[in-house]
Amino acid sequence: MTDTTRDTEGATAYAHVTAEVTRIPLHYPRPKAWWLCFLPACGLLAVFFTALGVLLWNGVGVWGVNIPVNWGFDIINYIWFLGIGHAGTLISALLLLLNVHWRNSLNRFAEAMTLFAVVCAGLYPLMHLGRPWLFYWMAPYPNSMTLWPQFKSPLTWDFFAVLTYLTVSALFWYIGIVPDLAATRDRANGRLAQVLYGLGALGWRGSARHWARWGQAYRLTAAIAVPLVVSVHSEISLLLAAGPVPGWNSTVFPPYFVLGAAFSGFAVVSMIAVVLRKALGLEDLVRPLHLDMLGRLLLATGLMTAYGYAAEVFDTLYAAEPADLSLLADRLTGPFAWSYWGAVIGNFLPLQLLWWRGVRRHPLALFLIGFSAMVGMWCERFMLLATTLHHSWLASSWRPYTPSFWEVSLFVGMLGVFLVPFLLFIRFLPVISAFEVKEALFEESGEKGAGHA
Amino acid sequence: MNETARDRITQTLAGRTGRTFWRSLEELADTAAFREMLAAEFPALLPSLAPTGLSRRTALKALAGTLALAGLTGCDGQPDETALPYVTAPEGDMPGIARFYATAVRLGGYAQPVMGKTHSGRPVKLEGNPGHPATGGGTDLYTQAALLDLYDHDRSQGPRRRNQPTIWAAVDTALHGLTQEMDASRGEGLRLLTGPVTSPTLIRQMTNLRQRWPNARWHILDPLGGAGRLEAARLAFGRPLQAHALLDQAAVLVCLDDDPLGPGPAQATLARRWARRRLASQAGQGGCRLFVAEPSPTLTGARADRRLVAAPHRLPVLLNALEGGAPDLRPDEVRWLAEVRAALAAHPGQALVTVGPWCDPALQAQALRLNARLGAVDHCLRFTAPLTAQAEPWDDLVRDMAAGRVRGLVILEANPAHAAPDASAFRDALARVPFTLHAGPHLDETAAACQWHAPLAHDLESWSDARAVDGMVSLIQPLVRPWLGVRGRHALLDGLLGGAASDHAVVQATWRPELGADFDRRWTDALVKGFIPDSAPPWATPTVIDTAPASPLSAAGGLTLLVRPDPTLWDGASANNAWLQETPKPLSKVTWGNVVHVSPHLAALHGLKNGDEMTVTAGAVAVTGPAWILPGQEADTITLTLGYGRRLPSQTADGLGYDAYPLSAGPATLTPTGRTRDVATTQRHHAMEGEDFVRTVPVGHPTLPPEVQTPSFYPDTPPESPSWGMAIDLDLCIGCNACVVACVAENNVPMVGAELVAMGREMHWLRVDTYHEGDPAAPATYFQPVPCMHCEQAPCEMGCPVNAAVHSHDGLNLQVYNRCIGTRTCSSYCPYKVRRFNWYDYTAKAPEPVKAQRNPDVTVRQRGVMEKCTYCIQRISAARIQAKLKGEAIPDGAVVPACQQACPTQAITFGDVTDPQSQVSRRKASPRNYSLVPEAGTRPRTTYLARIEPDDGGAA
C-alpha cells in the first residue's frame, strides 16, 4: 500500500467520521423516532412542572416525608442523579488525561448526560427546602447582617461542591464541543443554522494557534474536573456520614459513595451508548470495542461497590454497637428489606455476566445489565435514606415512610427534565466528538505506518 | 309562604265581611309562627301581660316610650362590673406584661384551681394555682386544655330555637312564660337536669327554686361520677360520705381496679399527694408501696410495684382474701397476695385499700370496712359530707318523661342526648315534653334535640364558684368579657326565677352571709387567693355498720366488657378541643379517636392486628371500632372508652370514634368486620429493643454506674453562669400528659389533625414515650417525657448550613426560625427526634378564634421552618429582665417552664446547672441521674433520674 493510497484512505475515513457526526444535527436520520421520544419526554416535563407547582404552593407537606423520615425521594434522587452524573466526567476527563483514545467515541454524550443529570440533581436540594426562596442563604455572599453559612455543615460544602461541579462540567463539555460546532457550521446549508452554530463556535477557524490554546484549556479543565468527581460525592456522603446516626456514621462512606456513583454513571453511559449507536446508525464509531470497555468499567466499579457493601456490614458487625446492629437487622429483614435486597440483586447479580467478553460486546445484554444496575443503585439510595431515618436511636420514634403521589410524580417528571434537554442535544448538536475520533484515527494510523516503515 | 298559610288567608278573607285591614300576609294568615315572632319581638304585647287587650292610650304611651328609648338600642349589654377600656389603659398596666388572676375551671363539677394569665385582657394560659392546698400548683391535661374551649370556633354563638338562630329576648319570653306557668302550678311538671354540681351558689339557687316551686324536681346526670362511691359509704357507714384518700400518708396503697393516679377531677390532687409520699420515700422516710390488681391497664397500674392482671370477677375474691378469707386462688394471685399481706402487716395504720368507682358499691363498701380494720380510716382515709349536690336520680327523669309527667325540662350543662347510657330513650321521651330548654356552652346533641338552646359562658368569662376535690371553695372570676352572645348559668337560673341579677350579684349573694361583716376585704382576699380559706367541710368520723358483703361475681364464660372514661377526652364534653384530641392516650398513644382495647392473648387467638375493625356487641347494642392490642390487658376483657362517637354536624369532633355510652359493662362478643382502619398513633414501638432508654434501679441500692463521657472532636464550651438544664425524675412521672398540653398552650404549638398525625407529623415539642418490658400479658410499663435535650455537643448545630441551630451562652440549643430555610438536616441528625417541622402553613390556617389564644411572648412559625422545645426561653428572658431590674442574679426557681409548672408530681426540675445549690443540680447529683443515648456523644442538658423498683424487678 502506497503512502498516497493510505493518505487518500485516511482522508476518506476522516471525511466519513465528520460527515457521520455532523450530518445528525443537519439532516437528522430518524426524525419520526426522535419525535416519538421527544413528545413523551415533554409530557414528563409537564408532569414535573405540575408537581413543582403543587409543591411550591403548598409546601413540602405534599410529600410523604415525616419526622423521623424527613428526607425521602428528594435526597434519594439527589444522590442518585448526581451519581449518574459522575461517569461523563470520569470517562472524558480522566481518560483524556490518561490518553486513552477509545474514550473519544463516548465522551461527548457522556458529558452531556453528566450535565443534565447534575442539573436534575441540583434541583432537588433546592426544591426540598422548607423555604426554597431563601436557598441563597447557603452561599457566602456579603450581607448587611454579616451572616455566613455554617462552615461545619456538610450541606454548605455540598452546595459549593455541586455548584462547582456543575460549572466545571458545563465548561468542559462546551470547550470540547467548540471545534465540532465549527465543523457543523461549515457544513450547514441554511442561514439560520450557520449563524447559530457560528455563534456557538466562537469564531473557530481551526488555526494551529486555536488548536494549541484549545488543547491547553481542555486539558486544564479536565485536570480540574477529575478531583471534583471525587470531592462531590465524598461531600454528599458526608451529608449522611457526619451525623451521629447509626447506619450513616461510618468512615467508609466517601469511597463507597464515589465508587457507587461511578458505577451507576457507567451503567447509564452503557445504556445510552447502546441506544444511540443503534438509533443514529453510529455502529462505525461506537464499536463493540467500546462496549467491551464500558462493560469492563462497569464490572470493575461494580465489584468495588460490592466491596463497599461488604465493608459496611463488616464494620457494623466488628463494632457491634447495639444501635448499628439493630439497624442492620432492620435493613436485611425490616419493612424496607426489599430495597436492600433490590440493591444487592440489581447491582451485583447480572453484573457477573460481564466476566464474559461475548456478553460485554452484546449491546442488548449490556443495556439490560446497565439498566439493572441503575435500578439497583436507586434501591441502594432509598435503602440508605429510608431505613436509617425510620429506625433511629430511640425505638419510640421509629416510624414508617410512604412516598406520596406528588413525591413520585416529581421523580417521574424529573426524568423529563433529564430527557428533554438530552434529546434536544442529540438532535441539534454533534453527539460524538468528530475531531477527537479523527485525531485518534490519525495517531493510530501513524503508529501503524511507523511500524510498517 | 306555604300552602297552609295560603289556605288560612283564603279562609280568613272568606269568613270576613266589611273592610279588613292587614299589614302583612303573615299577619293576615295569623299563623302560630307569626305569633311567636311577635311574642319574641314585643313581649309586652303578649296577651299574658295585657290580659284586657291593648287600649289606645297604652299603645300611644308605649309608642312615646319606644321613641324616647330608641337611642338605647345602640347600647350593648352591660358587663357585670366596671371594666376599663384600653384607650385609657389601667394604671400600671403595661402592654406586653402579663397579668395573673386566680380563678378555676371545672371538670366533672369540681373546681380545678388555676392562675389565669392574660395579655391585654386576653387569657393566654392557665397555670396551676401554687397557693392551693389541694394541688399545690399541679394540674392535669384537662385543666391545661380548658383554655382552648374558650376559643373553640364551634362554641355556641347565640341562642337557638328549633335549631335556628334566635335572640335572647325570645328565650327570656319563653322562660317568662314558663315561670308564670310554674308559679300557677307550684312547679308541677318542672324538671331541672344538671351535670354534677359542687357550686354552693348553684345549690343555693336550686334550693330557692325548690322552695318557690315545691313540686319541681332536680335531677343530676353524672355518668362517670361518684354516685357509686357515696353509695358505698352509705352501705359501710350508714350515710353517704365523701372519701378523701390522703395518699401522702399511705405507705402502702392497694388498688383493686382503681386508678387514683389516672385521669379525672381528682388526678392533680391525688398525684400530688402520692408524689409527696414518693419523694419522702426517696429520702428514706417511710415506704411507698403500690399494689394494683386490675383487668385493664391504668396509669396507677403502670406505676405499681406489683401489678396483678385480674379479671373483674376475681376482684371480690382478692378482697375476700385480703380480709383473711381463704378462697381458691391462682398461683400469680397467691404471690401477689402474699406480698400485699406482708406490706399491710408491716405498715399498720398506713395502708389503704381502694376499689374503683366503677365497681359494685357493695364491693367498695367492703373495702371501706377493711380500711377501717386496717386503721386507715381517720388517718390516710378521711371523710367529709358529700361535696357534690345530691338530687334525684337521672333514671326517674327518663321514666317520668316517657310517662308524660314532665311539663317543662330545663337542662343546665349536661348532655343527656349523648352522655348517658340510655341516651336514645331520653331522645325519644323528649318529644313528649311540651317545653325543653338546653343551656350549655356547646351546640351538642341535646341542644339539637331541645326546643330552645341558650349558650352559656365559659368558666373563664363568668362569675361562679365550685369546690375542689378537697372541698375548698374556689371562686371563679372572669378573665375576659364574653364576646359571644352567651350568659352565665347563675344569671340564667335567676332569670327563670323571675329575677334579673347578674352572675356576680348572685355569687356575692351566696357569700355575703358566709363571709360576715368584713365581706369586702375577705371577698377580695378570696379573689386574690383563688379560694375561700377554711371553706372545706369538716372531717366526719364514720362508724362502720354491718351490712351484707358483696355478692361474688360469677366467672361468666366468654368476654367481659369494660367501659371507661377516655384518658384524654374524659366524658367527651370537650370533644371539640383539638389539644385534647391530639394528645396521645398515655398507653396506646392513639389520637383523634377511640379504639377497642384487646389483650395480646385475644389478638393472638383471633389473629388481630392493630387497626383491624371490630364490632363489639353487649346486649342489644353494638359499636364498631379499630382493635388495639394493649399489653397487660386481662386476656378475656375488652375495654371501650367514652367521649367519642359524637353527632355534631360540621364540628371538630363530629364522627370521630364510636359512642360507648349505650354499652354497659358485662358480657360481650367481638366480631371482626374484615376491614382495617388507619389509627393515628404517635408511637408504634413500645419495646426498648434491648436498650435502656428508661433505666431502673433497685430500691435497696438506687445507684447507676457513673457515666463515661464520650470523646468529641469539638471543643467544650466554657460553662457560663447561669447555664440551664433540666432533670426529669422518672420515679415520679405518672405519664399523665399534663406537661404535653401545657407545652402546647404555652408555645403556640399547632394541632395538625388525625391524618397528619397518622403520617408522623404531630408537632408536640414534648412527648411522653411509653415503653413496655417483659411478658406482653403482664408487662412493666414505663413513661419517659422527652423534650429537647439541649445537647452541649448538639449534632443539629453542626448540621445546619445556615446557622439556624445555634448554642446560646447560657447553654440553650436555639432554633432561629427567621434564619431556618428548612433543610431538615438538624432533625436527621437529632438522636432524640424532638424536632418538629412545619410541613404546611399551620399558623396562618388555624381557625380565627384560636389565633387569639396565642401567647404573644412566643413567635409563631412560618411554613417550612423547624421548631422544637426551647426550655420556655420566653420565661427565662422574663426572669432575666426581672433580675436585671433588681440588679441581682436570677434566683433558683425563678424560671419555671410550662411543663414543670403543670406537672402534678413535680417530676420535672429546671434551673442553673452551674449553681451546685440549685434544685436541678441537686437532682442531677443523684446517683440515679443518667443521660439518654449517651453513646451518641451529645452530652444532653436534659437528664433523667432512674425509676426505683422493688429489689427484684417490676412486673408481678
Side-chain angles (χ1 to χ4, degrees), chain B residues 335-409:
Chain B
R335 278 199 305 277
W336 185 81
L337 278 165
E339 283 206 60
V340 174
R341 282 208 195 95
L344 290 180
H347 297 87
Q350 286 186 306
L352 181 59
V353 180
T354 67
V355 173
W358 26 70
C359 297
D360 177 17
L363 188 69
Q364 298 181 49
Q366 203 179 331
L368 290 177
R369 282 193 294 272
L370 174 62
N371 280 320
R373 263 180 41 206
L374 291 169
V377 174
D378 290 343
H379 290 100
C380 47
L381 183 66
R382 307 206 70 176
F383 293 88
T384 63
L387 301 179
T388 48
Q390 301 303 296
E392 289 174 49
W394 146 259
D395 301 333
D396 294 359
L397 174 67
V398 182
R399 196 194 55 218
D400 290 354
M401 279 166 64
R405 284 198 287 271
V406 180
R407 304 271 316 134
L409 175 64

Side-chain angles (χ1 to χ4, degrees), chain B residues 567-910:
Chain B
T568 60
L569 276 200
W570 191 235
D571 59 353
S574 295
N576 280 332
N577 191 317
W579 292 353
L580 290 179
Q581 288 281 8
E582 203 152 308
T583 302
K585 321 267 177 215
L587 292 166
S588 62
K589 296 292 165 194
V590 169
T591 64
W592 291 98
N594 51 358
V595 290
V596 177
H597 299 96
V598 297
S599 64
H601 167 81
L602 203 61
L605 201 66
H606 295 288
L608 300 179
K609 294 187 312 297
N610 281 346
D612 284 354
E613 200 179 70
M614 313 296 297
T615 300
V616 181
T617 316
V621 200
V623 293
T624 306
W628 202 262
I629 303 162
L630 196 56
Q633 176 89 357
E634 199 276 330
D636 294 322
T637 53
I638 313 162
T639 308
L640 302 182
T641 64
L642 300 168
Y644 283 93
R646 304 298 301 269
R647 291 169 291 271
L648 306 166
S650 77
Q651 295 187 26
T652 308
D654 186 40
L656 295 173
Y658 58 80
D659 177 11
Y661 273 110
L663 279 79
S664 46
T669 55
L670 193 67
T671 350
T673 63
R675 289 186 293 268
T676 308
R677 284 204 211 163
D678 231 6
V679 181
T681 170
T682 60
Q683 187 185 345
R684 289 162 181 259
H685 293 269
H686 294 270
M688 279 191 261
E689 306 285 341
E691 305 265 355
D692 51 358
F693 309 131
V694 174
R695 299 195 196 173
T696 56
V697 288
V699 66
H701 181 67
T703 304
L704 285 171
E707 249 170 47
V708 189
Q709 209 157 57
T710 45
S712 171
F713 281 125
Y714 297 109
D716 279 322
T717 41
E720 285 186 37
S721 195
S723 222
W724 304 106
M726 185 180 273
I728 302 177
D729 192 345
L730 299 182
D731 194 45
L732 293 173
C733 178
I734 56 168
C736 71
N737 277 329
C739 51
V740 173
V741 187
C743 175
V744 167
E746 171 75 14
N747 292 305
N748 302 331
V749 174
M751 297 292 103
V752 297
E755 202 185 320
L756 293 186
V757 171
M759 284 182 78
R761 293 179 177 178
E762 72 278 359
M763 298 298 285
H764 290 131
W765 286 5
L766 167 61
R767 62 172 195 263
V768 181
D769 285 345
T770 304
Y771 295 106
H772 298 300
E773 199 180 53
D775 177 13
T781 303
Y782 303 100
F783 299 111
Q784 183 170 44
V786 186
C788 175
M789 298 288 135
H790 290 270
C791 312
E792 287 171 17
Q793 302 282 2
C796 50
E797 292 167 15
M798 191 275 286
C800 178
V802 292
N803 267 320
V806 286
H807 222 71
S808 78
H809 62 92
D810 51 357
L812 300 181
N813 169 251
L814 305 175
Q815 179 71 14
V816 187
Y817 308 129
N818 275 352
R819 182 67 178 166
C820 177
I821 60 173
T823 69
R824 309 190 285 286
T825 318
C826 50
S827 175
S828 294
Y829 287 1
C830 177
Y832 312 100
K833 300 294 175 218
V834 292
R835 292 177 157 263
R836 299 288 176 250
F837 190 68
N838 286 271
W839 301 103
Y840 292 111
D841 192 351
Y842 301 123
T843 300
K845 287 185 180 152
E848 257 337 290
V850 173
K851 293 179 184 171
Q853 178 276 325
R854 288 184 185 142
N855 185 353
D857 292 335
V858 177
T859 318
V860 291
R861 280 78 63 181
Q862 198 188 7
R863 166 191 140 189
V865 304
M866 193 61 84
E867 59 183 67
K868 63 161 193 84
C869 159
T870 64
Y871 271 168
C872 284
I873 189 170
Q874 65 280 4
R875 295 187 178 208
I876 298 175
S877 300
R880 188 192 302 118
I881 291 168
Q882 284 305 313
K884 273 192 176 168
L885 286 177
K886 291 182 198 149
E888 57 193 27
I890 306 175
D892 187 33
V895 185
V896 181
C899 51
Q900 178 186 5
Q901 207 291 323
C903 180
T905 60
Q906 295 174 304
I908 302 175
T909 329
F910 181 80

Side-chain angles (χ1 to χ4, degrees), chain A residues 354-434:
Chain A
L354 292 177
W355 289 105
W356 287 276
R357 174 190 292 258
V359 178
R360 287 200 299 268
R361 291 180 171 236
H362 191 278
L364 183 63
L366 190 65
F367 179 88
L368 290 176
I369 292 168
F371 184 77
S372 160
M374 188 182 74
V375 173
M377 285 311 287
W378 190 88
C379 286
E380 184 205 296
R381 308 315 192 194
F382 185 95
M383 177 272 290
L384 280 177
L385 264 293
T387 59
T388 311
L389 285 173
H390 101 108
H391 195 92
S392 52
W393 287 98
L394 293 180
S396 63
S397 28
W398 293 355
R399 281 278 182 84
Y401 153 69
T402 319
S404 78
F405 172 77
W406 289 115
E407 209 169 353
V408 179
S409 316
L410 194 69
F411 176 44
V412 172
M414 200 50 110
L415 298 178
V417 177
F418 178 82
L419 285 175
V420 168
F422 193 78
L423 285 166
L424 289 175
F425 158 73
I426 56 175
R427 173 75 181 76
F428 293 110
L429 292 174
V431 285
I432 285 177
S433 179

